[in-house]
Amino acid sequence: MRGDIHNEIGGQPWETVAQPGDHVKTDKRDAVTLARLARSGDLTPVYVPAVGDEAIRDLARAREDALKDLNAARFRLKAFLLRNDIRYTGRANWSAEHLRWLARLVFPTPAQQIVFQEYVRTVTERTDLLRRLEAELVEQAKPWRFQPVVAALQALRGVQFTVAITTIAELGDLTRFDNPRQLMSYLGLTPSEYSSGERRRLGGITKTGNSHARRVLIEAAEAYRHRAKVSEQIRARQQHLPQPICDIAWRAQVRLCGRFRKLLARGKHPNTVTAAIARELAGFMWAIAKTQGLPT
């Protein structure tokens, strides 16, 4: 029988697991177990976000949910058009021209026209919701204590505002990790291992820890597919940042862009390469947070 034991020692929350086969659970037994584990140093502290930090996290997750709903609504609309053998031949979907093309479509039956209009209306509503949540996220982030760290992370290539604030909202203070490897392991970006004796076998990433932060980091890693370059957008984000942070961001570009190409040239699967770049990108994020310093 397994059960989680939650308690506090010295003001810090701790977590442990009862021994299998232990069918007697009392507060006294739990206290004794926690005291023994604390004395041996086998307890791991659990990070508890502040109320304001958790509120920003909820808003960031609401934006993520709205994006998922929008993508699902777009997929349903496109699937309906394909079932009716209607294909857009323009250059980009959901552009202004694409929306004008949708407005000109007329279906042969009233029932089909109703279905089409409802799908279009759903896409429009989900788009408006996503814009409202993104605007609120920008506004609520201004007085947030982690706002300087969010701004500093945007010096990195591929780390726009939504990536930076989602990462910090989900992980909190990155400097609470003693080194970058702990952060990479927490994000589930390190390879799994199945080793025995002298044989060492590595598998896919562990995918443990926070899936929200891991997803945005993997999306950001795609930006390092191309050669290193400080674009106008990156230069604008770095305009008011200290030079040491900009230097870390440039070193990240040089290393990660080169590593992306080398891994692809070695025949690695693109998904494997992206995960490897995301893992190292997390390390550069930790370095920038360390340089920026703790929030007040």
Side-chain angles (χ1 to χ4, degrees), residues 14-127:
W14 306 89
E15 180 178 328
T16 184
V17 178
Q19 293 296 326
D22 189 356
H23 297 276
V24 180
K25 181 184 184 303
T26 64
D27 291 344
K28 183 178 180 180
R29 281 173 172 260
D30 292 348
V32 171
T33 301
L34 288 170
R36 289 174 177 171
L37 293 174
R39 182 177 59 185
S40 63
D42 291 333
L43 290 180
T44 301
V46 178
Y47 176 76
V48 179
V51 175
D53 302 342
E54 195 167 6
I56 295 295
R57 185 184 66 185
D58 289 338
L59 187 56
R61 289 187 179 181
R63 176 208 163 269
E64 182 179 341
D65 292 337
L67 180 60
K68 291 180 180 178
D69 293 341
L70 174 59
N71 290 333
R74 288 175 171 177
F75 176 81
R76 286 192 293 266
L77 175 57
K78 292 176 68 175
F80 174 74
L81 295 177
L82 288 176
R83 288 198 303 271
N84 289 273
D85 198 24
I86 300 175
R87 293 174 173 81
Y88 179 61
T89 58
R91 299 184 58 181
N93 288 330
W94 314 114
S95 61
E97 178 58 33
H98 184 216
L99 296 178
R100 287 192 293 268
W101 174 79
L102 288 173
R104 294 192 296 266
L105 291 180
V106 178
F107 287 80
T109 66
Q112 290 175 315
Q113 191 68 34
I114 290 174
V115 172
F116 170 70
Q117 293 301 152
E118 289 297 337
Y119 279 157
V120 172
R121 181 180 178 183
T122 302
V123 171
T124 302
E125 291 174 348
R126 297 294 183 269
T127 302

Side-chain angles (χ1 to χ4, degrees), residues 164-177:
I165 196 168
T166 299
T167 302
I168 299 301
E170 295 293 340
L171 302 181
D173 180 16
L174 299 185
T175 60
R176 65 189 174 94
F177 299 96

Side-chain angles (χ1 to χ4, degrees), residues 15-296:
E15 180 178 328
T16 184
V17 178
Q19 293 296 326
D22 189 356
H23 297 276
V24 180
K25 181 184 184 303
T26 64
D27 291 344
K28 183 178 180 180
R29 281 173 172 260
D30 292 348
V32 171
T33 301
L34 288 170
R36 289 174 177 171
L37 293 174
R39 182 177 59 185
S40 63
D42 291 333
L43 290 180
T44 301
V46 178
Y47 176 76
V48 179
V51 175
D53 302 342
E54 195 167 6
I56 295 295
R57 185 184 66 185
D58 289 338
L59 187 56
R61 289 187 179 181
R63 176 208 163 269
E64 182 179 341
D65 292 337
L67 180 60
K68 291 180 180 178
D69 293 341
L70 174 59
N71 290 333
R74 288 175 171 177
F75 176 81
R76 286 192 293 266
L77 175 57
K78 292 176 68 175
F80 174 74
L81 295 177
L82 288 176
R83 288 198 303 271
N84 289 273
D85 198 24
I86 300 175
R87 293 174 173 81
Y88 179 61
T89 58
R91 299 184 58 181
N93 288 330
W94 314 114
S95 61
E97 178 58 33
H98 184 216
L99 296 178
R100 287 192 293 268
W101 174 79
L102 288 173
R104 294 192 296 266
L105 291 180
V106 178
F107 287 80
T109 66
Q112 290 175 315
Q113 191 68 34
I114 290 174
V115 172
F116 170 70
Q117 293 301 152
E118 289 297 337
Y119 279 157
V120 172
R121 181 180 178 183
T122 302
V123 171
T124 302
E125 291 174 348
R126 297 294 183 269
T127 302
D128 293 340
L129 174 60
L130 180 62
R131 289 172 179 170
R132 292 198 302 271
L133 289 174
E134 287 179 343
E136 283 297 330
L137 196 56
V138 171
E139 192 64 27
Q140 295 297 326
K142 292 179 180 178
W144 192 30
R145 65 188 184 112
F146 282 114
Q147 194 278 333
V149 182
V150 172
L153 291 183
Q154 294 179 64
L156 291 163
R157 183 174 187 170
V159 184
Q160 296 86 1
F161 172 76
T162 54
V163 174
I165 196 168
T166 299
T167 302
I168 299 301
E170 295 293 340
L171 302 181
D173 180 16
L174 299 185
T175 60
R176 65 189 174 94
F177 299 96
D178 294 335
N179 53 68
R181 290 187 178 275
Q182 288 187 1
L183 174 59
M184 298 171 191
S185 179
Y186 179 82
L187 288 168
L189 290 170
T190 53
S192 56
E193 184 173 354
Y194 305 89
S195 301
S196 178
E198 297 181 355
R199 186 181 66 176
R200 184 169 183 259
R201 179 191 296 179
L202 298 179
I205 59 175
T206 60
K207 295 185 179 180
T208 58
N210 194 290
S211 60
H212 303 275
R214 182 172 62 251
R215 180 188 59 81
V216 295
L217 282 177
I218 289 178
E219 290 181 358
E222 289 286 348
Y224 294 90
R225 182 180 297 269
H226 310 287
R227 62 186 178 88
K229 176 184 177 183
V230 180
S231 63
E232 294 182 4
Q233 293 81 3
I234 297 176
R235 192 180 302 277
R237 299 202 300 262
Q238 295 179 352
Q239 186 175 2
H240 301 291
L241 295 177
Q243 189 59 40
I245 292 178
C246 297
D247 293 340
I248 295 174
W250 176 245
R251 289 199 301 271
Q253 275 214 61
V254 173
R255 172 170 174 79
L256 298 183
C257 290
R259 184 162 172 76
F260 205 116
R261 294 194 302 272
K262 289 179 181 178
L263 291 176
L264 286 178
R266 288 167 52 186
K268 296 293 184 180
H269 192 280
N271 292 347
T272 303
V273 176
T274 304
I277 299 303
R279 178 169 59 250
E280 294 199 25
L281 178 60
F284 283 106
M285 283 185 167
W286 181 89
I288 286 180
K290 198 79 172 177
T291 304
Q292 176 65 35
L294 294 172
T296 58

